[in-house]
Amino acid sequence: MATLRELPYIPLEVGENFIDQLSGHVDSLRSCALVCRGWNRHARQHLMVAIRVQSREDLCSIHEYFASNPRMASLVRSLCMASPLGGEKHRCLLEVLPVYLVKRLPNLQRYSIGRWTYFTAHTGSDQVSFHATALMHIKTYLHVEELHLEALRFRTSAELARVLIALPRLRRLQCRDLEADNLTADTSRFRNKCNMLSELTVVCTLQAIVVAR
């Protein structure tokens, strides 16, 4: 009777170094997590670095997971709120800060808001409007240094400025496919509010937007 050849032993340290090289390759990391218990732990640490919320169901599921696994929450560095479909139901994911989730992420450094690039090409940008309560929550709970905005449309440049000054620790801002319906709003009162902002990247923005610098 034929028997399977014994697989060579790979020290755990070597496996962990191999997994480290796959950082950012989600599918490969998921495969590594299925190899064995030792690899699972290290691969999950990489998978937790950046998480994406695409629906209310995702939001509830992720929150419940971190409530049961609080140590894993400390691994998260990037949170992306992405609406793949647009519309009123999905836009609320972009306009409301998930406070109860953000409060569980003590090491969060980057926050992203926007639409998937694939859907953007077919359906355009989402118009967003941040209520005063949402801005207060952003200022109180979102202590990130990096903000990514993609495929969003603001009514005025002043609305965008209010979002930026609600992040006093903001150092890096990336804007992609942003629009503003009204560029005549007075933004002079927002000048010199983002004192720590040192890096600005603008990609494929359809209209120039004056922000507080």
Side-chain angles (χ1 to χ4, degrees):
M1 180 177 178
T3 59
L4 294 175
R5 294 180 56 186
E6 184 176 349
L7 296 176
Y9 171 73
I10 300 178
L12 183 58
E13 294 79 4
V14 175
E16 290 179 346
N17 289 334
F18 174 73
I19 293 172
D20 290 339
Q21 300 301 316
L22 297 174
S23 179
H25 298 271
V26 176
D27 291 338
S28 298
L29 289 171
R30 287 175 176 172
S31 297
C32 289
L34 300 175
V35 173
C36 64
R37 184 173 299 177
W39 283 34
N40 176 275
R41 178 182 303 175
H42 202 66
R44 281 202 303 169
Q45 290 179 355
H46 282 280
L47 288 169
M48 288 293 107
V49 169
I51 59 177
R52 181 192 296 266
V53 177
Q54 304 166 4
S55 65
R56 291 183 178 180
E57 291 74 18
D58 284 352
L59 192 58
C60 293
S61 177
I62 292 172
H63 178 262
E64 291 176 358
Y65 175 79
F66 287 138
S68 303
N69 302 272
R71 292 184 179 180
M72 300 301 291
S74 64
L75 300 173
V76 179
R77 299 293 186 273
S78 174
L79 173 61
C80 176
M81 305 298 293
S83 172
L85 300 177
E88 189 71 27
K89 177 180 178 181
H90 296 275
R91 194 165 63 241
C92 67
L93 285 175
L94 311 180
E95 297 177 336
V96 179
L97 181 73
V99 173
Y100 57 90
L101 174 59
V102 171
K103 289 171 66 175
R104 291 188 176 275
L105 308 178
N107 298 318
L108 189 64
Q109 299 174 357
R110 179 173 62 190
Y111 191 69
S112 303
I113 312 173
R115 185 93 67 81
W116 289 0
T117 304
Y118 171 81
F119 288 97
T120 301
H122 292 76
T123 59
S125 303
D126 276 320
Q127 180 167 331
V128 292
S129 179
F130 292 88
H131 190 270
T133 302
L135 294 174
M136 181 185 67
H137 287 165
I138 290 174
K139 185 174 183 178
T140 304
Y141 300 106
L142 194 59
H143 306 303
V144 296
E145 296 184 355
E146 186 172 347
L147 177 66
H148 288 195
L149 302 174
E150 180 169 349
L152 300 176
R153 186 170 73 252
F154 292 85
R155 290 189 301 172
T156 67
S157 53
E159 286 199 352
L160 172 58
R162 291 189 184 96
V163 175
L164 301 185
I165 64 176
L167 297 167
R169 300 183 184 180
L170 185 64
R171 293 180 180 273
R172 293 177 295 277
L173 172 64
Q174 179 175 325
C175 302
R176 184 184 183 92
D177 293 328
L178 293 191
E179 300 179 57
D181 294 337
N182 179 11
L183 298 179
T184 62
D186 180 18
T187 59
S188 59
R189 64 186 184 279
F190 299 120
R191 289 176 182 171
N192 302 320
K193 296 295 185 179
C194 297
N195 295 324
M196 299 186 67
L197 184 61
S198 60
E199 184 177 330
L200 173 63
T201 304
V202 180
V203 181
C204 298
T205 298
L206 301 182
Q207 299 186 43
I209 298 179
V210 180
V211 298
R213 286 296 304 273

